[in-house]
């Protein structure tokens, strides 16, 4: 896209054809994406290997609830007809071709900018196939990282020119099938724009693991211990709640039960990041606009340095967590919190995490099994009581839900044995 004299070549004539993208090598796509980044977003704020790939919004790639941008529905053949093959050499002489223009000329060209957005959208739609089509170079980890980079660039185009306070949240609606005889569980979630300077704000997005678990909570709530206890009000805690999908779904499940019961459940959604907590409170308000007292409390909780003062001084019957392990220490911190917070001996902790076959977060499930021993139900165990994995189930990835590097999800049932 650039020659040695500093002239820039139009993206419409230098990006690879989407119709043949499966045949492009990792190096060719890397060069194409880095050229887009250099042209539109200099200086490069991050290296190719991100500090945390979780900081990229998965819905940019896969969520069908994202409104049609006008590009995603473009006929692929029309777009391919405008795409040239990737330029193999970058030393074309300026002026030798009509497409050789200055950096500012190309960057200010609305058509070229829109072409880049359309190309990135088309590449995202093919990302799954391209990542696992590794016959040429066999580097699936590098390919997954390039998909992350494409998502980041697409999000950057959306953010460009906006002030932080002016960025619009993405509103996502979910309708989960309920147990027999009950109405659908409808939830409206706001995914706030990620803070580009802070990768710890990943809880501003609804991740696929929480969607997968929420679907199962709605279908079989009693299996997960989501019920009004005849002996008292159930206490339910969500760790790393993010947008609060699990807590909100749980509250809606319980509110559809016996409304005459004197036992009002206490549901507490926790997270660490201030911006995440603010967005979480907004989601709770949006889903329960007419109630005088919020059915979901939103409170901060730092796993590394937890404060166990009220309301965390009393045990919880059910603890929920989705996609909260993306560092080797997180499983240990969570175990220590659950040991303190889960009711003995009947409390249950449900943890769901994605299986990522590539990238920095590959094998995070092993960190969970390293701190929670696996002791199936009914097996004898030595005293005293200890937390253990009683069961685990692998859930297949659903089409259109989740990141390209998530092959499935592991749901752990953890309790006292």
């Amino acid at each position: 896209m650039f020659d040695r004299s500093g002239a820039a070549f139009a993206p419409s004539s230098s990006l690879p054809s989407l119709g043949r993208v499966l045949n492009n090598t990792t190096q060719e796509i890397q060069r194409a994406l880095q050229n887009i980044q250099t042209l539109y977003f200099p200086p490069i704020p991050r290296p190719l290997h991100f500090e945390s790939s979780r900081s990229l919004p998965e819905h940019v790639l896969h969520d069908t609830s994202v409104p049609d941008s006008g590009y995603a529905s473009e006929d692929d053949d029309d777009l391919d007809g405008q795409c040239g093959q990737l330029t193999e050499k970058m030393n074309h002489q300026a002026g030798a071709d009509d497409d050789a223009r200055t950096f500012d000329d190309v960057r200010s060209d609305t058509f070229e900018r829109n072409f880049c957005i359309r190309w990135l959208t088309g590449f995202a739609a093919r990302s799954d196939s391209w990542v696992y089509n590794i016959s040429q170079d066999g580097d699936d980890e590098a390919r997954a990282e390039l998909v992350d980079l494409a998502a980041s660039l697409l999000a950057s185009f959306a953010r460009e020119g906006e002030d932080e306070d002016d960025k619009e949240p993405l509103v996502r609606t979910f309708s989960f099938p309920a147990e027999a005889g009950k109405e659908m569980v409808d939830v409206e979630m706001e995914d706030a724009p990620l803070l580009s300077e802070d990768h710890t704000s990943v809880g501003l997005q609804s991740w696929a693991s929480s969607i997968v678990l929420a679907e199962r909570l709605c279908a079989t709530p009693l299996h997960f211990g989501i019920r009004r206890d005849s002996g008292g009000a159930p206490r339910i805690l969500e760790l790393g709640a993010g947008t609060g999908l699990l807590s909100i779904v749980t509250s809606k499940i319980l509110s559809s039960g016996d409304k005459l019961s004197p036992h009002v459940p206490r549901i507490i959604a926790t997270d660490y990041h201030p911006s995440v907590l603010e967005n979480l409170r907004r989601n709770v308000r949006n889903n329960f606009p007419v109630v005088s007292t919020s059915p979901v409390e939103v409170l901060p909780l730092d796993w590394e340095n937890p404060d166990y003062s009220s309301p965390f001084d009393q045990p919880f019957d059910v603890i929920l967590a989705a996609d909260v392990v993306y560092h080797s220490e997180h499983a240990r911190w969570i175990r220590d919190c659950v040991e303190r917070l889960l009711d003995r001996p009947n409390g249950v902790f449900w943890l769901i995490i994605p299986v990522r076959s590539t990238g920095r977060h590959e094998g995070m499930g092993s960190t969970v099994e390293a701190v929670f021993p696996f002791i199936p139900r009914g097996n004898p165990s030595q005293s005293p009581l200890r937390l253990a994995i009683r069961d685990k189930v692998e859930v297949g990835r659903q089409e259109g839900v989740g990141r390209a590097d998530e092959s499935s999800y592991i749901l752990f049932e953890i309790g006292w044995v």
Side-chain angles (χ1 to χ4, degrees):
M1 191 176 292
F2 303 96
D3 71 7
R4 291 177 181 175
S5 68
F9 288 84
S12 60
S13 62
S14 62
L15 289 173
S17 168
L18 288 175
R20 295 182 291 275
V21 74
L22 293 183
N23 297 325
N24 286 116
T25 66
T26 302
Q27 290 72 26
E28 288 170 338
I29 296 299
Q30 179 182 21
R31 190 184 306 132
L33 294 176
Q34 287 178 333
N35 284 341
I36 293 174
Q37 190 174 44
T38 302
L39 176 60
Y40 290 104
F41 306 106
I44 298 174
R46 298 181 185 180
L48 182 59
H49 295 275
F50 295 111
E51 183 175 358
S52 173
S53 62
R54 285 185 83 245
S55 63
L56 299 174
E58 50 139 69
H59 60 258
V60 171
L61 295 180
H62 303 292
D63 193 322
T64 56
S65 67
V66 178
D68 187 353
S69 65
Y71 304 120
S73 59
E74 179 80 21
D75 183 73
D76 290 340
D77 292 336
D78 292 342
L79 185 55
D80 289 340
Q82 300 172 31
C83 291
Q85 291 298 309
L86 181 66
T87 304
E88 295 296 333
K89 297 181 181 180
M90 299 299 165
N91 61 350
H92 299 284
Q93 294 182 356
D97 186 83
D98 288 340
D99 284 333
R101 294 175 284 172
T102 67
F103 180 97
D104 289 338
D105 285 342
V106 175
R107 190 178 187 193
S108 61
D109 190 318
T110 301
F111 172 80
E112 297 297 342
R113 178 181 297 269
N114 288 341
F115 187 92
C116 272
I117 296 172
R118 294 164 66 186
W119 188 91
L120 288 167
T121 303
F123 175 71
R126 298 163 172 80
S127 60
D128 282 9
S129 299
W130 184 78
V131 165
Y132 297 110
N133 183 36
I134 56 175
S135 58
Q136 293 190 28
D137 45 35
D139 196 349
D140 55 345
E141 180 174 346
R143 289 187 169 220
E145 290 187 354
L146 288 174
V147 170
D148 286 346
L149 177 57
S152 179
L153 290 171
L154 199 55
S156 295
F157 275 113
R159 291 194 302 262
E160 193 175 38
E162 296 179 343
D163 293 330
E164 195 73 40
D165 294 337
D166 295 335
K167 296 178 183 178
E168 292 294 329
L170 172 68
V171 178
R172 305 171 68 181
T173 57
F174 300 93
S175 291
F176 297 109
E179 59 183 325
K182 299 292 180 65
E183 296 181 354
M184 298 280 286
V185 179
D186 297 322
V187 182
E188 181 179 286
M189 307 299 294
E190 282 192 11
D191 281 6
L194 290 170
L195 305 178
S196 56
E197 73 283 359
D198 188 354
H199 76 274
T200 65
S201 66
V202 294
L204 292 169
Q205 304 288 319
S206 297
W207 297 93
S209 296
S210 63
I211 298 171
V212 170
L213 180 53
E215 183 179 45
R216 281 153 180 76
L217 291 176
C218 293
T220 56
L222 293 180
H223 173 75
F224 293 94
I226 307 301
R227 59 180 177 271
R228 290 178 182 262
D229 194 328
S230 59
R235 287 172 53 87
I236 299 169
L237 172 69
E238 184 179 1
L239 299 176
T243 58
L245 179 61
L246 295 181
S247 293
I248 292 170
V249 160
T250 298
S251 179
K252 286 179 178 270
I253 292 170
L254 291 174
S255 66
S256 66
D258 181 9
K259 294 182 174 58
L260 299 178
S261 171
H263 305 300
V264 179
R266 187 165 192 181
I267 303 170
I268 301 177
T270 66
D271 213 293
Y272 169 74
H273 196 285
S275 295
V276 174
L277 290 167
E278 180 182 352
N279 187 60
L280 174 52
R281 292 187 183 97
R282 181 163 53 249
N283 276 326
V284 171
R285 289 194 300 269
N286 290 345
N287 279 277
F288 305 99
V290 297
V291 298
S292 57
T293 302
S294 173
V296 177
E297 300 173 62
V298 178
L299 295 172
L301 182 64
D302 179 356
W303 307 332
E304 186 178 11
N305 299 293
D307 178 0
Y308 292 121
S309 59
S310 180
F312 303 111
D313 57 341
Q314 298 296 318
F316 291 85
D317 303 291
V318 178
I319 299 179
L320 305 169
D323 201 354
V324 293
V325 180
Y326 47 95
H327 190 279
S328 58
E329 293 183 324
H330 289 173
R332 178 173 55 83
W333 293 345
I334 290 171
R335 178 204 60 196
D336 293 345
C337 286
V338 174
E339 282 183 338
R340 178 71 177 263
L341 296 170
L342 188 65
D343 179 65
R344 299 173 186 241
N346 298 318
V348 60
F349 171 39
W350 298 99
L351 169 65
I352 186 170
I353 63 173
V355 176
R356 295 189 172 110
S357 56
T358 62
R360 292 189 56 175
H361 307 304
E362 178 182 0
M364 283 292 103
S366 63
T367 67
V368 174
E369 298 187 54
V371 299
F372 294 104
F374 182 69
I375 304 177
R377 288 181 177 277
N379 284 17
S381 177
Q382 297 179 348
S383 297
L385 288 174
R386 59 174 175 166
L387 283 176
I389 298 170
R390 300 192 300 217
D391 194 13
K392 67 175 182 177
V393 177
E394 184 168 8
V395 181
R397 183 171 178 266
Q398 300 178 18
E399 184 68 25
V401 177
R403 290 163 41 97
D405 61 349
E406 297 177 354
S407 59
S408 60
Y409 305 89
I410 301 295
L411 176 59
F412 295 97
E413 178 191 350
I414 298 172
W416 298 103
V417 297

